[in-house]
Amino acid sequence: PYTTHVHLKDWEIVAAEQPAAWPGIDGRLFKGKSMGQGIVKLPEVITRLKELDYQGIITPEYEGPGDPFKAMEESMAYLRTLL
């Protein structure tokens, strides 16, 4: 009942240091992906938010390589299918 903002992004796990790769707290490296193309179980996240009747803000973000405008366009199209 106290959540007012949800921040979403997607990632892939990479084996070695790469541009735009971020270290996780578990030591693995993660690189940003368009939503729906990575490892985050976004359908489950959205389903849970709906179960909780979440009415707040959902903010998508992309932190990967390549064209961020294209990645966000892909991410928004995918997110719309879930909402």
Side-chain angles (χ1 to χ4, degrees), residues 13-64:
I13 299 170
V14 294
E17 188 80 24
Q18 296 182 24
W22 299 84
I25 59 173
D26 61 2
R28 295 182 297 175
L29 291 171
F30 297 85
K31 186 166 62 170
K33 298 291 285 182
S34 296
M35 279 193 262
Q37 297 180 14
I39 62 168
V40 178
K41 297 176 181 176
L42 293 167
E44 293 176 22
V45 172
I46 297 299
T47 295
R48 185 65 178 139
L49 290 172
K50 287 178 180 180
E51 290 171 354
L52 295 170
D53 194 33
Y54 176 71
Q55 300 294 313
I57 295 168
I58 296 175
T59 303
E61 184 176 344
Y62 174 73
E63 291 187 60

